[in-house]
Amino acid sequence: MKRILALSFSCCLMLLAISCDKIEGPYIVTDTDEEITVQFPDLDLSTVYRKVLIEEYTGHRCPNCPTGHEKLDELLARFGDTLIPICIHATSLAQPTTEFPDNLMTEVGTQLANDYQIDGIPAAIINRANEPMGSIPARWLSKVQAVDRSHTPAAIQIINQYGETGEDVLKVNVKVTLIEEQTNPLRIALFIVEDGIVSPQIDGTDIINDYVHNHVLRGSLNDTYGTLLDNASTAAGLTTFTMAKSFSLACTNWNPAHCSVVAILYDKNNYDVLQVEKKYIY
């Protein structure tokens, strides 16, 4: 059984901007239909395993957040590509100032922080668990270990095309395969994250001007909570969904070589993440 959902994402910049040298968000977008022209490879179920999403809430004016970054690095070293990170700059400690001029906040991240009642940072939510205010770094390991990975509900394949459909245009092609029957409605959210952003960060009482920020949320290709899949009538067996989104990076200050797409498939009713996948732009 196969359902096709084909959508695209195009970037229209705010009229306040006169040039494209450097533009801090937000970005205004519109949706139109778009055809998928790539061929997804056959899925080898023996190579598919359940991955875990960790969304770390942080801020460059948060003196304890470098400790959170270190804990995240430890977890990534331990779990490898089975753990997918997104660092969300949010709360008042992420607001730009004279000493911290770069705005790493996003509308998407702010909404998530508000919805999850994030106040104190560093904090993290693992697999979108129902955990208001998140958990402190000392609990992240046990939260990751608590995720049931004895089965794999779904698989996500991502094919990124950068510069193939237009200069500085990123086209994201996604295929979702449901391996297990799902009775609740599902949503898929597509986020862009960036590594290697050099920007000031306070660490204790010291300001590190050349601090390197990784896994930074830059925005969403389909709003904060993504796109609803038409899986209401799916039966047991392999059911697939495909979708495409396009986005122009021409008027952003992002480095495409450091950017990746993170696809999050989750249960609309309880927000449990069934699968998450990450793919660098190129």
Side-chain angles (χ1 to χ4, degrees):
M1 184 183 300
K2 181 175 181 180
R3 290 172 171 79
I4 295 184
L5 178 59
L7 300 169
S8 75
F9 188 97
S10 61
C11 175
C12 301
L13 298 173
M14 297 183 67
L15 296 178
L16 294 176
I18 298 175
S19 71
C20 289
D21 293 335
K22 180 180 180 182
I23 295 178
E24 305 279 356
Y27 303 96
I28 303 173
V29 301
T30 58
D31 284 328
T32 56
D33 291 337
E34 184 170 351
E35 181 183 1
I36 294 179
T37 58
V38 298
Q39 182 69 40
F40 289 94
D42 293 337
L43 186 64
D44 182 356
L45 292 180
S46 67
T47 65
V48 179
Y49 45 89
R50 190 174 189 179
K51 298 184 179 182
V52 179
L53 172 68
I54 179 168
E55 292 169 296
E56 179 195 13
Y57 290 87
T58 186
H60 49 198
R61 293 166 47 218
C62 165
N64 295 320
C65 282
T67 301
H69 302 160
E70 291 174 2
K71 174 57 67 174
L72 179 59
D73 287 342
E74 291 176 8
L75 294 176
L76 293 173
R78 177 168 182 165
F79 293 99
D81 70 349
T82 67
L83 185 64
I84 306 295
I86 299 177
C87 289
I88 301 171
H89 288 247
T91 79
S92 61
L93 293 179
Q95 294 282 353
T97 64
T98 301
E99 289 183 303
F100 303 90
D102 297 323
N103 187 4
L104 300 180
M105 302 179 70
T106 63
E107 290 184 1
V108 172
T110 297
Q111 182 175 348
L112 286 170
N114 290 338
D115 291 347
Y116 278 95
Q117 305 172 44
I118 301 297
D119 185 14
I121 55 175
I125 303 287
I126 285 80
N127 260 19
R128 297 274 172 97
N130 183 17
E131 187 178 18
M133 298 185 292
S135 58
I136 62 175
R139 297 176 181 171
W140 295 354
L141 173 59
S142 62
K143 296 288 184 180
V144 172
Q145 290 176 322
V147 177
D148 181 8
R149 286 188 278 184
S150 63
H151 63 108
T152 306
I156 302 174
Q157 295 168 280
I158 304 174
I159 297 178
N160 292 323
Q161 297 170 282
Y162 182 67
E164 296 180 27
T165 59
E167 186 176 1
D168 296 316
V169 172
L170 167 66
K171 182 178 179 182
V172 180
N173 305 275
V174 178
K175 181 178 181 181
V176 173
T177 301
L178 298 184
I179 300 173
E180 300 175 353
E181 182 179 0
Q182 303 298 321
T183 57
N184 289 342
L186 305 178
R187 298 188 74 95
I188 185 165
L190 305 177
F191 290 169
I192 295 182
V193 302
E194 184 177 3
D195 296 326
I197 301 174
V198 179
S199 182
Q201 169 74 50
I202 191 167
D203 185 357
T205 58
D206 299 324
I207 296 178
I208 303 174
N209 289 309
D210 57 353
Y211 193 89
V212 179
H213 298 265
N214 291 316
H215 324 298
V216 177
L217 175 64
R218 283 304 203 176
S220 171
L221 295 178
N222 55 348
D223 300 322
T224 303
Y225 290 104
T227 302
L228 184 66
L229 298 185
D230 181 20
N231 67 296
S233 60
T234 59
L238 299 182
T239 303
T240 63
F241 304 83
T242 58
M243 64 185 298
K245 289 279 190 179
S246 291
F247 179 74
S248 175
L249 279 70
C251 291
T252 72
N253 60 347
W254 310 344
N255 184 344
H258 294 168
C259 289
S260 56
V261 174
V262 176
I264 305 165
L265 179 70
Y266 67 97
D267 187 312
K268 179 179 179 291
N269 290 356
N270 58 28
Y271 292 89
D272 180 40
V273 174
L274 304 180
Q275 188 62 282
V276 58
E277 191 59 78
K278 175 182 178 179
K279 186 70 175 292
Y280 280 95
I281 288 179
Y282 63 83

